Amino acid sequence: MKKEVVLSGIRPTGFVHLGNYFGAVRNWANMQKEYDCYFCVVDWHSLTTHPDTRELRQHVHRLLSELIASGLDPEQCVLYIQSDVPEIAELYLYLNMMAYKGELEKTTTFKDKARSQPDNINAGLLTYPVLQTADILIHRATNVPVGKDQEQHLEMARNFADRFNHRYGDVFPLPKAFNYGKDLIKIMSLDGSGKMSKSENQMNTLYLADDDDLLRKKIMKAKTDGGPTEANSIKPEYIQNLFGLMQLVSHADVIAKFEADFNNCVIRYGDMKKQLAEDMVNFISPIREKAKAIENDKDYLSKVIKQGRDKARASAAATIQLVRNAVGVNY
Ligand code: TRP
């Protein structure tokens, strides 16, 4: 039986952090066997907010390296760069004729970005969800692993696909947001305010590229307080977050000890953070070193890029032929 098609995209705009790793990339890695997986480094999307391309090449190479070090296997999935697949741009063009100015202007991400870069409210920013739809539909993907913040884009993708099908005939299955396994893990920033972020508040975010001492320093600086004064208290969010991080990287008996200490009001947060820092270093450093080795192996990277491009283009070419036939631009 044909496997269901999974597609997701990630922008090359910053270092991969723990939130990306546990919230997205690790899940993608787990899907590779069961699904027909496409993972795309969306460099065109990054131009909507990062027009300066001097570091783009380095960012794309590093992101690919970090994705592979995190478990994406270029032999098992199709790992490729968006701009290597011109069919995406062609599909974006057709879809743009079905996307209305009003609905694009209403999109939450557009409004947020227009507010944060008032001097550069470009048309690419406005039609960002259309390009994202083209990313998905070019492989006729149905399952799109994304976080909550992308649900509106997915709904728009379904609308655009549906409009295309109505106007020109059934070409696209309707894509849906997709969670693998249990609830998505959300990693809060170390000061307990908001999510870990690719580009903001770097001291409160743990990156896969951080060296051991920086990881320790960030964790030791994480917000705590004087500790609970009543047995079995409810944990404040920033404390819960430290326990949440322990759940990801520490042994069960270690976690149980600090849980008990908290409940008995004898917890020493300094000790807890020291333990968490060591466990985090042991978790992250092998991934970091692997990513570094890959990034330095330019021959290997260009082989991966070419292989991804070839596989992605084969699938994209088949779809664009169906699209051209359906639209009637096949002379
Ligand atoms: N917009 C997504 C984000 O900001 C990135 C993205 C681009 C994407 N194209 C995609 C995600 C296609 C899923 C499918 O995270």
Side-chain angles (χ1 to χ4, degrees):
M1 214 182 84
K2 200 177 171 309
K3 293 177 182 173
E4 288 178 47
V5 180
V6 163
L7 177 134
S8 202
I10 184 163
R11 278 174 295 156
T13 50
F15 290 88
V16 173
H17 57 67
L18 216 59
N20 302 132
Y21 179 85
F22 284 107
V25 181
R26 196 183 56 160
N27 294 316
W28 298 357
N30 287 331
M31 296 174 195
Q32 294 176 106
K33 275 214 173 72
E34 233 173 286
Y35 297 90
D36 195 0
C37 288
Y38 293 83
F39 300 115
C40 183
V41 172
V42 292
D43 54 344
W44 282 334
H45 274 111
S46 71
L47 297 179
T48 63
T49 51
H50 295 65
D52 182 344
T53 54
R54 273 173 297 184
E55 292 184 340
L56 183 58
R57 183 186 171 79
Q58 190 202 335
H59 283 174
V60 167
H61 284 185
R62 196 183 52 221
L63 178 54
L64 284 170
S65 306
E66 289 182 326
L67 292 175
I68 297 167
S70 302
L72 296 193
D73 176 358
E75 302 297 327
Q76 247 188 57
C77 67
V78 183
L79 177 61
Y80 66 104
I81 302 166
Q82 186 181 38
S83 62
D84 269 339
V85 183
E87 289 83 358
I88 296 170
E90 182 174 343
L91 180 55
Y92 172 53
L93 183 148
Y94 300 120
L95 294 172
N96 267 324
M97 313 304 172
M98 290 164 212
Y100 299 110
K101 176 171 168 277
E103 64 186 335
L104 295 171
E105 281 171 344
K106 270 196 330 214
T107 313
T108 313
T109 50
F110 173 71
K111 289 195 286 190
D112 288 348
K113 284 177 184 162
R115 210 172 298 128
S116 67
Q117 53 182 67
D119 298 327
N120 183 19
I121 308 179
N122 59 76
L125 206 53
L126 184 67
T127 58
Y128 182 113
V130 187
L131 182 55
Q132 182 166 348
T133 303
D135 290 334
I136 299 166
L137 298 185
I138 201 68
H139 303 298
R140 282 165 286 159
T142 51
N143 296 357
V144 186
V146 283
K148 254 208 138 12
D149 62 323
Q150 294 291 311
E151 271 169 15
Q152 191 179 28
H153 288 177
L154 257 288
E155 192 184 322
M156 297 172 82
R158 275 194 300 282
N159 285 336
F160 300 146
D162 196 43
R163 279 177 214 163
F164 184 100
N165 289 344
H166 269 101
R167 194 170 297 169
Y168 297 121
D170 263 324
V171 173
F172 299 117
L174 301 188
K176 59 179 186 301
F178 176 61
N179 271 343
Y180 191 76
K182 310 186 286 306
D183 288 343
L184 279 185
I185 297 171
K186 205 158 104 184
I187 312 271
M188 304 303 287
S189 103
L190 289 173
D191 63 357
S193 72
K195 288 197 301 180
M196 277 197 186
S197 150
K198 265 231 202 82
S199 36
E200 290 148 50
N201 54 1
Q202 308 205 341
M203 274 316 280
N204 293 321
T205 296
L206 302 175
Y207 297 93
L208 297 184
D210 287 346
D211 68 32
D212 293 350
D213 284 341
L214 185 56
L215 289 170
R216 291 191 184 100
K217 193 167 148 204
K218 286 180 178 180
I219 291 173
M220 293 315 289
K221 276 177 52 123
K223 176 172 175 180
T224 55
D225 54 29
T229 50
E230 251 176 72
N232 305 312
S233 304
I234 293 177
K235 299 187 185 88
E237 202 172 355
Y238 48 90
I239 297 297
Q240 179 54 46
N241 189 34
L242 291 179
F243 276 97
L245 291 172
M246 270 201 153
Q247 294 282 352
L248 300 172
V249 297
S250 300
H251 284 296
D253 46 347
V254 168
I255 302 166
K257 174 207 171 327
F258 287 104
E259 286 282 356
D261 286 355
F262 179 88
N263 286 330
N264 299 325
C265 306
V266 296
I267 192 159
R268 291 162 53 161
Y269 288 130
D271 291 350
M272 180 182 179
K273 290 198 283 190
K274 242 187 222 143
Q275 176 75 46
L276 175 61
E278 287 323 301
D279 294 339
M280 191 59 76
V281 163
N282 286 330
F283 183 83
I284 286 185
S285 63
I287 302 177
R288 179 190 64 224
E289 295 308 315
K290 193 168 171 202
K292 257 194 227 161
I294 295 169
E295 199 181 345
N296 290 329
D297 189 347
K298 294 297 177 204
D299 288 344
Y300 172 72
L301 263 187
S302 46
K303 196 189 108 216
V304 165
I305 290 171
K306 179 177 183 321
Q307 179 180 324
R309 178 202 304 141
D310 290 346
K311 289 197 272 185
R313 284 203 72 180
S315 154
T319 302
I320 217 67
Q321 198 53 56
L322 294 176
V323 168
R324 284 176 161 236
N325 290 344
V327 175
V329 289
N330 52 347
Y331 310 102

